[in-house]
Amino acid sequence: MTAINAVTSLAVDGNIAVLTVDSPPVNALSAAVRAGILQGIERCTADPAVQGIVLACAGKTFIAGADITEFGKPFVPPGLPEVQAAIENSTKPVVAAIHGTALGGGLEVALVCHYRIAARSARCGLPEVHLGLLPGAGGTQRLPRLVGVEKALEMVAYGTHVPAPEAAEMGLLDALADDATLRADAIAFARRIVEEKRPLRKVRDLDDKISPARGNGELFAAFRKANARRFRGFEAPEASIRCIEAAVELPFDEGLRRERELFQELMAGSQSAAQRYVFFASRQVWNVPDIGADVPSIPVTRVGIVGAGTMGGGIAMNFLNAGMPVTIVETTQQALDRGLRTIRANYDNTMKKGRLSAAEVEARMARLTPTLDLQQLADADLVIEAVFENMEVKKELFGRLDQIVKPGAILATNTSALDVDEIAAATSRPEAVIGLHFFSPANVMKLLEVVRGEKTAKPVVRTSMELARKIGKVAALVGVCPGFVGNRMLAQRQREAQRLALEGALPWDIDRVLYDFGFPMGPFAMSDLAGLDLGWVRERSTGSTLREILCEMDRRGQKTGAGYYDYDAQRNARPSPVVERVIRDFATRQGRTRRAVSDQEILERCVFPMINEGAKILQEGKALRASDIDVIWNNGYGWPVYRGGPMFYADTIGLDKVVRTLRQYEEMLGEEFRPAPLLADLAARGKRFADPK
Ligand code: 3HC
């Protein structure tokens, strides 16, 4: 084996050369990798002993794409197109040998090879759309020529990873290999091509898969229509579709130029900057600075859950799905039965959608042990409490668990706002207590706030983060404070939304502004969905808030067919004249004169106080970094990823502008708007939240 440079090497097997990229962690196409491939191909072309070339990768994966860390930095040659041209125009057949994932620029390199063979466990995809981009190295032009327009549209605009067997079926791959024999099979494949004198197949020359779509604008229109909701607000999916249209309608080189133009537009735009930031933020969030590899983790095989209500049941499903046995405890048989019925109904629904087999449903249910006896949790390694949100109830329960559960086990509370330290103090082992704040529906929502108490031991934190990953959550470590990070910031938005409604905006005006900003729904539509009567009791209702008044009128949200909105039988929302009257009357009783409120004011008043609260959270050390706050808002509250997150958004507006605007509102409305010292300080120094401290 001869090294070409630090990250590529050549080995020769008879008349076949194997050009290997070895650039951990994911063989991204850095300048060194590009240079190594280019030189490798040139050497093989010049060597008369070599008749065929296999392009392979060492480590856990084939090339996973362009090197995202190079984006926005000065260009270092050779460019990817030059490398690709060398491969495509090679006079000797080049075969890509794919294992792990061939993604983005990685797949685009494979697409200029003359043939592709992949390990059965491999996956192929063009996920650029998740970075606010499109495949910029010919992917949108070559992929449809191999797999047809419909499949290419899905792969490019959804950014899905396609398993190798399916990719072979589509025509993307020419052969499959066993994982263990990929290299040998790829060499044999290349040798066969040489022996059989098969043509050097260039994907760019193929036409049969795209010609049926030529002139068929309806195909594209239908795809746009079917995905309007999914793509709403995002620029990259539409740009990808336009590239595939170009692939169908234009000569190859013109299509390629179109792709390059649109790629560069996206790369320069704010959405891609935000989405690339989110990519790194979502990886950074797992990193807890004071918990290194020396901190042991606690083996968790048996999970106990107290409470089989909506939260408890949803939480249980996460662990059942991950193959872990769960014991679930309730206080009455009726509640236990109801909880089990809901879990089963959820699984049955997934099965009906074809995403789960009947056997798998049974296997998951079989891992669940229902009981009325708390003593059954004695052997659990982790117990999660999901009972009524009341401090006394929780303290009493933790006191009992302390007596029952074996030493060394983790005791977690799913509280969404209460003081975890106070709950921990009800036990003799506060170091074992942690908050695991799941979001509803807990089997669906990605976010998990891991709440580190004052006394929580490091192994407990580490284990909780690891478990979160195991059950497929995105975990953010937060500190103890009312509402933790997400709900604490949400409370700011809720307060302003209510105030705006009394001052002059109507719920649907406020919802529209936030929906147009990119949230899946506004605060009032969200309240209607969740139920206005969460935590409301008629006997204690004083009619002093809009919500109370509506609950008293039995307008409790979607479930009663009326809340802030009126709902028809299909649960379509309509602005409610009744609510409008209620609001006007209520404002009059409070002596308010309603005024016109602009969309800009609605947005600023809902979002800027959240940013301000985020700054307070950072200042108090309740979140590790600004980007963790953004991860929380992306994954738990539907903050549009193409705007990064509230803290990133503030950076893009400019912190000085945020501070100036907050000060204006402070003058007009009061001290809730006073800029947090950290925010004011960063703004004064011309800094951003994203800047290193
Ligand atoms: N460039 C630079 N670094 C990358 C990278 C890339 N394309 N992909 C992953 N990394 C880094 C990660 O940041 C992480 O770094 P860290 O350890 O310092 O945090 C490390 O590689 C490992 O990544 P993961 O933690 O994500 O590892 P997994 O094993 O869970 O996942 C993966 C591996 C599936 C390859 C996943 O990393 C991934 O999806 N990567 C992005 C793939 C992608 O988007 N490719 C397209 C890039 S854009 C492009 O190619 C443009 C072209 O069309 C011109």
Side-chain angles (χ1 to χ4, degrees):
M1 197 172 75
T2 0
I4 297 173
N5 62 12
V7 291
T8 45
S9 60
L10 260 184
V12 178
D13 184 311
N15 59 346
I16 305 298
V18 182
L19 172 53
T20 304
V21 178
D22 187 2
S23 180
V26 296
N27 292 314
L29 288 161
S30 62
V33 170
R34 296 194 302 270
I37 298 177
L38 183 60
Q39 284 169 32
I41 295 288
E42 282 166 355
R43 272 197 218 178
C44 293
T45 316
D47 183 349
V50 172
Q51 292 184 294
I53 306 161
V54 169
L55 175 62
C57 287
K60 66 174 186 179
T61 177
F62 191 76
I63 302 165
D67 186 342
I68 309 170
T69 59
E70 279 186 356
F71 291 178
K73 295 196 184 141
F75 168 68
V76 181
L80 191 50
E82 192 185 337
V83 179
Q84 288 180 299
I87 298 173
E88 196 166 49
N89 298 326
S90 158
T91 48
K92 301 169 184 181
V94 185
V95 176
I98 298 169
H99 76 291
T101 43
L103 299 177
L107 183 60
E108 290 172 299
V109 165
L111 285 172
V112 293
C113 293
H114 305 109
Y115 296 92
R116 284 152 295 280
I117 174 168
R120 266 174 247 280
S121 64
R123 284 174 301 141
C124 297
L126 293 172
E128 284 88 343
V129 72
H130 299 307
L131 300 170
L133 295 171
L134 52 81
T140 63
Q141 306 303 298
R142 291 192 178 86
L143 186 68
R145 286 177 158 80
L146 273 184
V147 305
V149 169
E150 279 100 337
K151 294 243 159 44
L153 277 171
E154 286 177 8
M155 274 183 78
V156 176
Y158 300 163
T160 38
H161 296 186
V162 178
E166 202 181 312
E169 190 115 326
M170 287 178 183
L172 175 52
L173 300 172
D174 301 291
L176 293 173
D178 285 340
D179 291 18
T181 58
L182 173 66
R183 186 188 150 97
D185 289 0
I187 293 172
F189 186 89
R191 192 161 285 139
R192 232 179 10 257
I193 305 269
V194 171
E195 278 162 13
E196 292 172 7
K197 296 196 172 53
R198 283 212 234 157
L200 296 178
R201 201 167 66 133
K202 293 186 188 175
V203 175
R204 60 190 291 146
D205 297 333
L206 305 177
D207 191 59
D208 58 318
K209 290 271 180 79
I210 54 171
S211 54
R214 207 156 281 144
N216 183 358
E218 271 165 35
L219 192 161
F220 293 96
F223 186 74
R224 285 187 171 95
K225 188 158 174 241
N227 290 289
R229 219 171 121 167
R230 181 174 184 157
F231 298 157
R232 183 177 73 91
F234 287 92
E235 289 163 2
E238 171 56 25
S240 319
I241 299 171
R242 280 161 58 198
C243 284
I244 296 181
E245 281 175 322
V248 173
E249 301 298 341
L250 301 178
F252 184 83
D253 286 320
E254 273 181 52
L256 213 52
R257 264 199 299 282
R258 187 89 193 96
E259 179 193 87
R260 192 108 286 262
E261 279 163 20
L262 289 170
F263 177 80
Q264 272 157 359
E265 259 175 43
L266 291 175
M267 182 67 102
S270 63
Q271 293 205 348
S272 177
Q275 289 181 255
R276 281 180 275 138
Y277 161 87
V278 169
F279 177 84
F280 289 111
S282 323
R283 281 157 180 80
Q284 176 84 330
V285 74
W286 295 98
N287 191 352
V288 183
D290 71 330
I291 298 188
D294 56 320
V295 174
S297 63
I298 302 163
V300 174
T301 48
R302 253 185 266 239
V303 178
I305 292 177
V306 187
T310 314
M311 282 315 286
I315 295 170
M317 290 175 72
N318 285 286
F319 293 95
L320 299 173
N321 298 349
M324 297 168 80
V326 174
T327 302
I328 194 161
V329 188
E330 255 301 347
T331 46
T332 67
Q333 190 62 43
Q334 201 189 9
L336 195 58
D337 291 345
R338 194 170 45 228
L340 253 65
R341 270 200 306 276
T342 308
I343 295 178
R344 179 171 278 283
N346 279 334
Y347 280 138
D348 284 347
N349 271 336
T350 316
M351 185 176 73
K352 278 187 206 129
K353 289 180 194 149
R355 294 205 298 258
L356 207 58
S357 69
E360 191 48 44
V361 172
E362 291 317 315
R364 290 182 193 193
M365 289 306 292
R367 285 182 209 121
L368 183 61
T369 309
T371 176
L372 297 176
D373 180 8
L374 208 59
Q375 295 288 342
Q376 298 289 320
L377 300 183
D379 280 342
D381 306 301
L382 161 71
V383 175
I384 304 175
E385 159 279 310
V387 302
F388 191 59
E389 188 77 342
N390 172 290
M391 182 55 93
E392 290 319 308
V393 174
K394 300 218 189 232
K395 276 162 71 171
E396 195 268 333
L397 174 64
F398 272 76
R400 282 169 64 206
L401 288 171
D402 191 27
Q403 303 294 315
I404 294 171
V405 182
K406 70 180 182 191
I410 299 173
L411 302 180
T413 167
N414 174 52
T415 179
S416 57
L418 298 176
D419 184 342
V420 174
D421 292 328
E422 193 179 337
I423 296 173
T427 72
S428 65
R429 39 174 148 167
E431 69 285 354
V433 177
I434 195 161
L436 292 179
H437 179 206
F438 289 81
F439 289 71
S440 187
N443 53 320
V444 177
M445 294 294 289
K446 278 271 172 214
L447 180 65
L448 180 68
E449 280 183 329
V450 175
V451 191
R452 183 180 195 164
E454 205 184 327
K455 298 200 171 136
T456 311
K458 287 183 180 179
V460 172
V461 176
R462 175 170 180 177
T463 309
S464 300
M465 296 298 283
E466 283 172 357
L467 273 173
R469 207 192 268 276
K470 186 168 175 186
I471 61 174
K473 297 290 177 204
V474 174
L477 188 65
V478 302
V480 177
C481 57
F484 313 125
V485 171
N487 283 348
R488 180 170 159 181
M489 288 167 69
L490 181 68
Q492 296 290 318
R493 190 181 85 179
Q494 299 300 77
R495 184 199 63 224
E496 283 313 302
Q498 290 290 333
R499 286 215 309 205
L500 283 161
L502 292 181
E503 286 171 37
L506 288 164
W508 26 99
D509 298 326
I510 300 165
D511 279 357
R512 173 182 46 76
V513 169
L514 289 167
Y515 178 81
D516 288 346
F517 182 76
F519 281 101
M521 61 181 84
F524 295 96
M526 194 168 96
S527 295
D528 274 1
L529 183 66
L532 268 62
D533 56 353
L534 269 180
W536 175 84
V537 224
R538 187 178 289 280
E539 297 70 45
R540 289 205 298 272
S541 187
T542 55
S544 58
T545 63
L546 259 182
R547 185 175 75 103
E548 283 187 326
I549 298 171
L550 294 180
C551 283
E552 286 165 20
M553 294 166 72
D554 275 330
R555 298 187 65 101
R556 299 190 188 186
Q558 284 198 17
K559 60 186 172 188
T560 54
Y564 288 106
Y565 293 83
D566 291 333
Y567 292 89
D568 65 18
Q570 284 75 43
R571 294 206 171 185
N572 294 312
R574 261 175 296 113
S576 166
V578 176
V579 170
E580 183 168 345
R581 206 167 48 244
V582 168
I583 291 175
R584 288 186 191 285
D585 291 350
F586 188 55
T588 309
R589 282 206 303 282
Q590 292 200 333
R592 289 173 188 269
T593 314
R594 287 172 65 80
R595 63 183 172 92
V597 179
S598 71
D599 287 0
Q600 184 186 343
E601 180 175 347
I602 292 174
L603 187 64
E604 288 170 350
R605 282 184 55 191
C606 286
V607 173
F608 286 19
M610 282 171 46
I611 296 166
N612 202 30
E613 199 64 28
K616 291 179 191 165
I617 286 169
L618 277 176
Q619 198 173 326
E620 294 164 24
K622 303 299 181 190
L624 285 169
R625 6 179 137 75
S627 61
D628 287 10
I629 297 180
D630 288 338
V631 169
I632 287 172
W633 272 81
N634 289 149
N635 291 284
Y637 300 86
W639 182 283
V641 290
Y642 57 79
R643 293 190 200 276
M647 310 315 274
F648 180 87
Y649 178 65
D651 279 349
T652 56
I653 300 172
L655 298 192
D656 54 338
K657 161 125 201 288
V658 175
V659 167
R660 260 185 282 124
T661 311
L662 281 169
R663 290 216 165 105
Q664 280 165 13
Y665 288 121
E666 183 187 357
E667 222 160 87
M668 184 173 129
L669 295 154
E671 64 180 22
E672 300 92 295
F673 288 90
R674 183 167 308 149
L678 174 72
L679 174 59
D681 175 58
L682 288 173
R685 291 191 291 126
K687 296 272 186 200
R688 303 172 312 156
F689 285 118
D691 289 330
K693 276 184 209 144

